[in-house]
Amino acid sequence: MDALLLRGIELFNREEFFECHEVWEELWTPERGPRRLFLQAMIHMAVACYHCQRGNPRGAQGQFTKGLRKLAEYLPDVEEIDTGRLYRDCEAVLDRVRAAAPHGGFPRIQKIRPGEAANSTASF
């Protein structure tokens, strides 16, 4: 797994969403092709969670909506990431944000081991 992608996952799972977004943008900026959209989806998820932390439900909704739309193209897993689970978990947070309910915690990115992938949809 790419070192910057892994670093971003670590930051995301520690709920350091702003820093995570910065790391992934460094990876995303020079990228071209289908991986670029995948990275952009991941960045949207980090930014959405950051908006939740900052008490900005409108910003969170917008970022989750964009991120889920893009991430849907990369299910159920990509680059050793369980994108299916991330999608469902982010969708649940978005539902709570829309309902103005307590967010109940942030999603975590789960990695899968190579060879455990169900039907990997992308090989970049």
Side-chain angles (χ1 to χ4, degrees):
M1 179 178 287
D2 182 286
L4 285 176
L5 183 60
L6 183 57
R7 175 75 177 132
I9 290 170
E10 292 167 353
L11 290 166
F12 189 97
N13 288 344
R14 287 199 316 249
E15 299 179 7
E16 296 178 35
F17 300 115
F18 183 83
E19 293 80 2
C20 168
H21 131 270
E22 292 288 312
V23 167
W24 283 343
E25 275 200 349
E26 186 178 336
L27 186 59
W28 169 79
T29 300
E31 190 66 47
R32 298 295 175 259
R35 187 172 192 242
R36 183 175 173 86
L37 191 61
F38 165 68
L39 293 170
Q40 191 174 43
M42 299 295 285
I43 292 166
H44 284 305
M45 297 310 181
V47 173
C49 291
Y50 178 70
H51 281 303
C52 286
Q53 282 179 326
R54 307 276 299 167
N56 179 2
R58 186 174 180 194
Q61 286 182 50
Q63 291 296 311
F64 274 130
T65 300
K66 287 188 266 187
L68 288 167
R69 186 180 69 245
K70 292 172 184 170
L71 192 61
E73 300 297 317
Y74 300 94
L75 303 178
D77 54 79
V78 171
E79 294 196 38
E80 300 174 36
I81 296 171
D82 186 344
T83 53
R85 181 172 178 175
L86 179 62
Y87 186 96
R88 291 185 303 275
D89 292 350
C90 287
E91 192 172 44
V93 175
L94 174 58
D95 289 344
R96 289 191 300 271
V97 169
R98 285 181 175 147
H103 70 77
F106 292 105
R108 291 183 51 85
I109 296 173
Q110 303 295 319
K111 295 188 297 179
I112 57 173
R113 285 183 229 132
E116 287 185 1
N119 293 310
S120 194
T121 55
S123 56
F124 303 113

